[in-house]
Amino acid sequence: MKQDLFFWNRWLPLYRRLYISLFVLFGISIIIYFIQKVIGANSVISWNTVNEVQDISFDIDSFTKGIFNFTTTAPSFLVVEWFEASDMQINDIATYIYGGSVAIAMIWILSLLPSLSRWWYLGSMMVVIALFTSFQFDILQVWGFSNFTILIVFLIVILPVSYYFHAFRPDISLPIRLLTFTLVILFVAFISIKFAAIHNPSMSILSYGTRILAIISVLFIFITAHEIPSHLLLLITNTGITTSRNSLFHFTVITLFYVGNLIVSYLYNSGLIDWNFLYINGFYLLIITLILGIWGFRKRVDSWLSDPYSTMLYVVLGIITISSIGYAIATGNDPMMDMYEDTIIYSHLAMGIAFYMYVVINFRGPMTQGLPVHKIMYQPRIMPFGLSFALAALIMLALLFRVSMLPFNQGVAGYHNYLGDLYFAEKSYVLSESYYKKALLFQQRNHKSNYALATIAKQHNNPEVMAAFLKQAITNKPTPYTYAALSQLYSQEELFFEALFTLKEGTQKFPNSGELFNNLAILYEKTHVLDSAYYYYNQALDLTNKSEEVQTNLVAFWAKNLSVQKIDSIFGTIQPSSYYALESNRLVMSNILHKQDKQAYLPIPDTLLTRERFTYLYNYVLNHKTDKDTVPAHQLKLITTKPENSLFTSYLDFAQAVQLYYTQNIAKGVDILKNTEQGTSGQQSAHLNKTLGTWYLQQNAPALAVYRFEKAVKAGDTLSLVNQGFALTETGDFRRADSLWQALRMSPIPQFRGVSNTMAKVTHTLSGYKTDSLSDAEKVALVYFSKKEDLTPVVSSINDLSFRASALLYLAENHLNANNTSAAESDLQALQSLSVTDSSAKELINELQLKTVWLKKDWNTLAKLITSSHSPRKTFYQAEIAASAGKKAEAEKYYLQAMKELPFDESIVLATEEFYNRQNNPDRGYEILTTALQTNAMAPEIQKAYVLQSLELNLTDYAAQGMEELKRILSPADYQSFAPKYEEKRALIEKKLAEWK
């Protein structure tokens, strides 16, 4: 028994080693088959992660003007990722593996065939010739030959060598033959590949050769189909597993069970039943058959091929069969797979019946006596064993006709699919399309052809044709990819419900496809069915192996749809990741919560941006807007200079401007944003202008703010009318502001009504008109916007203590702006009797106290106060203290730093100019004023100083230009007030020039 099991141990060591190496290849081909079976359609279709960027607005800063709060907003970009089915792909790796398997098999076959008897040899060589002919070497156009010349050359090389080994030198050992035919096949392969005119010669040879290779595989499946019942017979008649001597009864029962299961599988594959039943898998059945056949085949062929050649030939044919099936799976050729599976079921069913009849007819008597019939299994007394194959063939024909030759049509369709793939790889799409359509003629609902034709229709931008093929593809052996592709196509055509129903059907057919659940969640979210969206996101997260993509979407979902409080509670549960899209969305949540993210920056490997890298970099910079000299801040400069990143440049410039503005480089930040705005339009232009207007308002440059808010309104941001009204009121142009507020009161926009009613009463009063009595809040606004000192009665009339405190603060500020420090000190003293709890009010009190001390030039007290102060003017006060102490170098350093930190503060600019004038450096003072005007050309005090400084340097033309600018920005009364001073100084300069001449 052991000798029969390990029969190869009886062979010569050399042949034993050759067989073991061949058996290892057979095992590898089975392993590769199982790998391809697991990979399935993924080998030719894959998931592509496609993303879109969605913006969500958040507040990056806020400040108070009077009783009103202002916010600076910015878009923060979320990434939403869905799974897109790729186009049909060509599996080059499978082609190389299959090609290598066929080449090795050919070497072994050519080496073994000379050992056959004469007629068997001649018949086998005819098959070899047919196989080489089917390769259609003329398609390769080797050396320009498009006829049979190359085929004839190859056959002239192969056939004489083979016949020589068969007829003249049959004694030559197998290793010598293997070496010889290895060289021959290598020669054929080298010539075919090296000198072919097409791009994919290997694929061409295999695609055309699959006709004969499939026939060989089908015949091999058929002639081995009895191996399972024959080994069942061996088991029953050899092991004594029953106490009964009547082994025929047991064989009958087992055969009925075996054949019955095959009948059920046949009915299922034919579409006649669809029971909830565990059906026999034809491919697993074949693997078992092929392995059992290693021991069974050699017993049947001793008459025409002896061991070890018979066993080796069997293993080689097994390699061809398994490789051919594996290639069909690896290329997604479902009609060819169906053909092989049906062939396996049909042949095993037919041969199971025929073999049972063969056994009963020949060995009924010995089996009823319990004799070991397996020893004489292939020594029939009545019915020759070959007749059982004839009977099985008739049964198979009956089964084929029962289903209208379906397996044959499947095979033809699969063959045309191979040719379609070939010409698709060659980019001959017209030929490729024609072969795929020929495949549909033989099996209309095959997935491979329909999906490939949909891919071609997509390339031709023909969505209607694409949809037709995809709908046909999901009718037979669909894949999750087909549902995803059809759903996406419907979405692109804005057929939402069709897209939704397609994905719903897909998730029912493929309940483990996390990719489909993810896409379904996105569709539900877009229609604001948030409960369903959240449910399906969680389903996708549990099912897909691409959890980072789904988690990215879940974080985006939270950021868009949850309250700040809920976001805060969830935020800590999100684990940091190296996945850019996920980290980008996590940063958006940080921005919403106004939390600076503590995670290390993810380096961007190069300066060419993808969407997810752009959003990550952008969101990171905004999140770290107060950090100086960060890595992304430096990268921004490189990235924005790349033409390839032009799509993102304006947004990155905005992020860079924000980072500069909030790191005390305000002028540069504003300048970048102004330049960025010039290249934008529409919504983006409106946002940039609104941001500039808000910054100008924050920096006390209301005239510039008015201009920017006007531009924002023209670009489509109607809500900026409110900000424009505030800015106009800040400029002191109360009549114009009043006209705007009165118009906004009548606006149908709800956001305008409350604030416009309040401001309309304030500006109406400031314009000199009589109005109804003002509320406490309106009185505070009146004190703030008037900038006047004589409003103590108004402040005293305020009943609400918190409002009165605010009014006192603004009145103190008005007094200080008029250099009335004693009145300001009285106001601040009065504040002590009121409980001020607001943090911004406390900051303003501290600021006013510092300003009071500064105006009084009490440098010692000022030095003590700023030690622990966080005043934005702290650097300026340090400059003033150093200047008063005669520390010129230190004072200069602080003055220049203060101008960088607060370039819109007119008092700082003027003090710096005066510092240089005192140092007898009027040219530097002039440069200071010029620089300041580049930042804030609407600053009247700086413009006045510029005019006088120009005269001081004898730049009379520049002074005259400055006066023209003053005429534009000053009221007539203010201009007339300054003009005499200008004329007096100009006359003095002209007199000096005349005297000098």
Side-chain angles (χ1 to χ4, degrees):
M1 179 68 180
K2 186 176 180 180
Q3 290 181 343
D4 288 337
L5 186 61
F6 301 100
F7 58 85
W8 52 84
N9 287 333
R10 298 195 298 266
W11 299 348
L12 294 174
L14 178 60
Y15 286 90
R16 189 163 61 242
R17 286 193 293 270
L18 286 173
Y19 173 71
I20 290 172
S21 65
L22 186 61
F23 188 79
V24 168
L25 290 175
F26 178 62
I28 291 172
S29 67
I30 293 176
I31 292 171
I32 293 174
Y33 160 79
F34 278 112
I35 292 173
Q36 291 167 336
K37 186 76 174 173
V38 171
I39 296 173
N42 298 329
S43 57
V44 289
I45 314 174
S46 59
W47 291 116
N48 295 330
T49 302
V50 181
N51 54 40
E52 68 178 26
V53 176
Q54 300 175 357
D55 65 286
I56 181 172
S57 184
F58 77 104
D59 298 341
I60 57 174
D61 191 17
S62 64
F63 58 93
T64 302
K65 290 285 184 181
I67 60 172
F68 301 103
N69 292 321
F70 296 85
T71 57
T72 305
T73 62
S76 201
F77 292 109
L78 291 164
V79 179
V80 176
E81 298 190 318
W82 70 90
F83 297 104
E84 178 188 69
S86 71
D87 295 341
M88 182 68 74
Q89 301 161 0
I90 302 302
N91 192 342
D92 293 325
I93 295 176
T95 301
Y96 298 142
I97 293 174
Y98 186 46
S101 300
V102 171
I104 292 171
M106 288 301 303
I107 291 169
W108 276 91
I109 287 173
L110 289 171
S111 301
L112 292 170
L113 291 186
S115 299
L116 291 170
S117 59
R118 178 59 53 88
W119 293 110
W120 280 106
Y121 168 77
L122 293 176
S124 300
M125 290 307 296
M126 293 298 294
V127 175
V128 171
I129 293 171
L131 178 59
F132 269 84
T133 303
S134 72
F135 288 151
Q136 293 200 211
F137 292 104
D138 53 304
I139 299 295
L140 306 181
Q141 298 184 33
V142 175
W143 292 314
F145 290 108
S146 57
N147 50 30
F148 294 108
T149 303
I150 300 302
L151 172 65
I152 293 170
V153 170
F154 289 160
L155 292 179
I156 288 174
V157 173
I158 293 170
L159 295 180
V161 175
S162 176
Y163 191 75
Y164 174 77
F165 287 145
H166 171 73
F168 301 108
R169 292 297 304 275
D171 57 315
I172 291 181
S173 66
L174 182 60
I176 299 298
R177 297 186 208 170
L178 286 170
L179 177 61
T180 303
F181 284 110
T182 297
L183 295 174
V184 170
I185 294 300
L186 287 175
F187 167 76
V188 171
F190 175 76
I191 297 298
S192 301
I193 295 171
K194 179 69 175 177
F195 300 103
I198 65 175
H199 298 98
N200 299 277
S202 301
M203 190 175 182
S204 174
I205 292 170
L206 290 174
S207 298
Y208 281 103
T210 50
R211 287 174 294 181
I212 302 300
L213 290 169
I215 291 172
I216 292 171
S217 300
V218 167
L219 290 174
F220 186 66
I221 291 169
F222 177 71
I223 66 174
T224 59
H226 71 288
E227 291 295 343
I228 291 178
S230 71
H231 279 76
L232 291 174
L233 180 66
L234 184 150
L235 186 68
I236 291 170
T237 61
N238 184 52
T239 61
I241 61 172
T242 66
T243 56
S244 172
R245 293 170 57 85
N246 189 357
S247 57
L248 179 60
F249 173 76
H250 302 295
F251 181 67
T252 300
V253 171
I254 292 176
T255 301
L256 284 174
F257 178 78
Y258 171 72
V259 171
N261 276 276
L262 288 171
I263 290 172
V264 171
S265 295
Y266 161 74
L267 294 174
Y268 174 73
N269 288 351
S270 302
L272 300 175
I273 62 170
D274 189 12
W275 299 342
N276 186 15
F277 189 81
L278 182 62
Y279 301 98
I280 292 178
N281 185 294
F283 296 118
Y284 296 155
L285 189 69
L286 177 64
I287 297 295
I288 296 170
T289 299
L290 294 182
I291 293 173
L292 293 176
I294 293 172
W295 286 268
F297 184 77
R298 52 192 289 274
K299 298 177 181 178
R300 294 189 283 122
V301 297
D302 281 345
S303 60
W304 50 273
L305 186 63
S306 60
D307 260 350
Y309 301 121
S310 61
T311 303
M312 291 179 177
L313 181 61
Y314 175 89
V315 173
V316 171
L317 292 173
I319 291 173
I320 290 178
T321 303
I322 291 296
S323 299
S324 296
I325 296 172
Y327 187 58
I329 295 172
T331 54
N333 198 340
D334 56 296
M336 188 63 80
M337 287 188 278
D338 290 342
M339 184 276 292
Y340 281 122
E341 184 173 15
D342 287 346
T343 298
I344 294 166
I345 297 297
Y346 289 13
S347 59
H348 281 71
L349 174 57
M351 203 62 205
I353 297 170
F355 185 78
Y356 176 77
M357 294 179 64
Y358 166 78
V359 170
V360 170
I361 291 172
N362 287 297
F363 308 111
R364 180 177 54 188
M367 289 188 72
T368 56
Q369 300 173 23
L371 297 176
V373 171
H374 66 278
K375 294 182 179 179
I376 57 170
M377 188 189 312
Y378 297 112
Q379 299 173 22
R381 293 181 300 169
I382 301 172
M383 176 183 174
F385 184 68
L387 197 58
S388 64
F389 283 114
L391 178 59
L394 290 175
I395 296 172
M396 280 193 68
L397 281 174
L399 296 175
L400 287 169
F401 284 122
R402 174 67 182 77
V403 293
S404 304
M405 300 298 289
L406 177 62
F408 173 79
N409 291 331
Q410 290 169 338
V412 176
Y415 169 69
H416 284 104
N417 278 340
Y418 283 135
L419 297 182
D421 284 351
L422 168 63
Y423 289 105
F424 190 89
E426 289 290 319
K427 295 181 171 42
S428 298
Y429 297 118
V430 175
L431 268 177
S432 176
E433 184 177 6
S434 69
Y435 278 115
Y436 286 132
K437 286 183 175 178
K438 283 182 181 178
L440 290 182
L441 294 176
F442 289 91
Q443 191 181 19
Q444 185 176 9
R445 296 189 304 159
N446 84 80
H447 181 271
K448 170 74 176 184
S449 302
N450 282 297
Y451 197 93
L453 287 167
T455 297
I456 295 173
K458 181 180 178 182
Q459 293 175 347
H460 294 160
N461 195 25
N462 195 334
E464 292 181 0
V465 174
M466 182 182 175
F469 285 124
L470 287 175
K471 283 191 282 188
Q472 200 160 264
I474 64 175
T475 60
N476 182 45
K477 295 188 181 300
T479 64
Y481 303 109
T482 321
Y483 284 104
L486 184 57
S487 172
Q488 185 185 358
L489 182 61
Y490 283 142
S491 295
Q492 291 171 352
E493 297 298 310
E494 298 183 354
L495 300 171
F496 167 76
F497 288 107
E498 286 83 350
L500 184 66
F501 294 146
T502 299
L503 282 178
K504 290 280 284 184
E505 181 183 336
T507 55
Q508 292 168 3
K509 288 283 184 70
F510 300 97
N512 294 321
S513 175
E515 292 81 4
L516 292 182
F517 279 107
N518 176 80
N519 292 2
L520 185 59
I522 292 173
L523 278 184
Y524 272 116
E525 187 182 353
K526 285 183 176 179
T527 54
H528 306 289
V529 186
L530 302 183
D531 290 344
S532 295
Y534 182 67
Y535 171 77
Y536 287 122
Y537 275 135
N538 280 294
Q539 287 284 96
L541 198 60
D542 292 338
L543 293 171
T544 185
N545 57 359
K546 299 183 177 182
S547 60
E548 288 178 323
E549 288 90 333
V550 180
Q551 194 171 1
T552 295
N553 294 342
L554 199 52
V555 173
F557 174 83
W558 289 332
K560 287 182 287 185
N561 300 299
L562 296 185
S563 65
V564 174
Q565 291 78 11
K566 289 185 178 180
I567 290 174
D568 195 18
S569 64
I570 290 173
F571 182 73
T573 65
I574 305 170
Q575 296 299 317
S577 168
S578 58
Y579 192 68
Y580 286 105
L582 177 55
E583 279 299 285
S584 177
N585 288 357
R586 202 173 61 79
L587 283 166
V588 172
M589 295 184 78
S590 294
N591 290 340
I592 293 172
L593 297 171
H594 298 107
K595 290 182 177 179
Q596 188 174 83
D597 192 66
K598 303 300 182 185
Q599 297 304 316
Y601 173 68
L602 294 178
I604 295 178
D606 54 46
T607 53
L608 297 181
L609 293 179
T610 57
R611 284 196 187 102
E612 62 275 10
R613 289 178 181 174
F614 152 68
T615 58
Y616 172 76
L617 177 60
Y618 174 89
N619 291 333
Y620 187 94
V621 172
L622 290 188
N623 187 259
H624 293 76
K625 65 181 185 294
T626 58
D627 291 350
K628 293 182 179 180
D629 300 323
T630 59
V631 173
H634 291 296
Q635 271 201 311
L636 278 175
K637 298 175 183 178
L638 295 174
I639 290 169
T640 53
T641 60
K642 291 276 186 180
E644 298 87 347
N645 296 325
S646 59
L647 183 65
F648 311 116
T649 300
S650 61
Y651 295 103
L652 293 176
D653 284 341
F654 171 78
Q656 187 179 15
V658 169
Q659 194 265 343
L660 289 167
Y661 183 88
Y662 290 103
T663 53
Q664 298 180 325
N665 200 341
I666 293 172
K668 191 170 182 181
V670 168
D671 190 52
I672 288 176
L673 202 58
K674 284 163 57 180
N675 293 333
T676 303
E677 185 276 327
Q678 292 176 4
T680 62
S681 60
Q683 186 177 355
Q684 189 179 9
S685 174
H687 171 256
L688 295 181
N689 277 298
K690 184 176 182 179
T691 302
L692 281 167
T694 307
W695 282 355
Y696 285 139
L697 202 59
Q698 187 177 26
Q699 298 299 323
N700 299 310
L704 294 176
V706 169
Y707 170 72
R708 288 298 169 177
F709 288 135
E710 284 177 346
K711 290 195 69 175
V713 171
K714 289 177 181 178
D717 184 11
T718 309
L719 295 179
S720 286
L721 281 167
V722 172
N723 290 348
Q724 183 183 344
F726 280 119
L728 275 171
T729 310
E730 280 272 14
T731 63
D733 191 351
F734 299 127
R735 289 188 179 274
R736 186 178 167 202
D738 185 53
S739 298
L740 179 57
W741 288 120
Q742 296 297 338
L744 291 179
R745 287 180 65 189
M746 309 304 295
S747 171
I749 300 175
Q751 294 94 319
F752 289 169
R753 291 173 189 161
V755 65
S756 60
N757 284 330
T758 298
M759 290 301 297
K761 290 176 69 176
V762 171
T763 53
H764 213 56
T765 302
L766 291 171
S767 299
Y769 301 110
K770 290 184 178 181
T771 186
D772 298 334
S773 60
L774 300 177
S775 67
D776 286 350
E778 291 163 350
K779 289 175 182 177
V780 174
L782 182 71
V783 173
Y784 172 78
F785 286 110
S786 70
K787 311 300 181 186
K788 295 180 180 179
E789 296 184 80
D790 57 347
L791 295 174
T792 302
V794 175
V795 175
S796 300
S797 68
I798 298 174
N799 296 315
D800 185 281
L801 295 182
S802 62
F803 281 131
R804 187 185 298 176
S806 298
L808 274 171
L809 270 174
Y810 300 134
L811 185 59
E813 190 173 21
N814 294 346
H815 286 142
L816 288 177
N817 289 336
N819 289 328
N820 191 346
T821 56
S822 60
E825 286 178 319
S826 297
D827 297 331
L828 294 175
Q829 187 69 28
L831 276 171
Q832 293 181 2
S833 62
L834 302 174
S835 56
V836 178
T837 57
D838 183 68
S839 58
S840 60
K842 288 181 178 180
E843 289 177 6
L844 182 55
I845 290 172
N846 293 331
E847 196 62 42
L848 293 178
Q849 288 173 340
L850 290 172
K851 190 171 184 179
T852 302
V853 175
W854 168 66
L855 288 172
K856 294 172 69 175
K857 300 187 184 302
D858 186 351
W859 307 121
N860 291 330
T861 303
L862 185 61
K864 292 177 182 178
L865 289 175
I866 66 171
T867 302
S868 57
S869 172
H870 298 287
S871 168
R873 286 165 60 94
K874 180 177 180 178
T875 305
F876 169 63
Y877 292 143
Q878 289 174 319
E880 291 280 84
I881 293 168
S884 69
K887 300 176 181 178
K888 299 178 183 179
E890 184 179 343
E892 182 178 24
K893 181 185 75 170
Y894 283 131
Y895 276 126
L896 295 177
Q897 180 62 29
M899 279 198 61
K900 183 178 179 183
E901 294 172 1
L902 296 170
F904 290 88
D905 192 319
E906 294 185 45
S907 62
I908 293 176
V909 175
L910 295 175
T912 305
E913 179 236 1
E914 289 174 9
F915 168 78
Y916 282 111
N917 286 341
R918 290 197 302 270
Q919 306 306 315
N920 295 318
N921 191 353
D923 290 329
R924 182 67 175 128
Y926 175 81
E927 291 175 8
I928 292 295
L929 294 172
T930 303
T931 302
L933 287 173
Q934 288 174 353
T935 302
N936 186 7
M938 304 285 285
E941 297 304 319
I942 298 176
Q943 194 71 49
K944 290 176 185 178
Y946 173 78
V947 169
L948 298 177
Q949 191 78 356
S950 298
L951 290 175
E952 190 69 32
L953 296 173
N954 297 325
L955 302 173
T956 54
D957 290 340
Y958 288 161
Q961 292 174 9
M963 286 299 291
E964 289 298 320
E965 186 66 22
L966 278 172
K967 187 181 291 186
R968 187 176 68 85
I969 65 177
L970 289 177
S971 66
D974 289 339
Y975 180 81
Q976 291 302 323
S977 175
F978 176 74
K981 190 174 183 180
Y982 163 74
E983 294 296 343
E984 180 184 353
K985 187 154 189 173
R986 190 183 69 170
L988 183 61
I989 294 298
E990 289 176 350
K991 181 180 178 182
K992 287 182 179 180
L993 287 174
E995 292 175 355
W996 182 77
K997 290 180 180 179

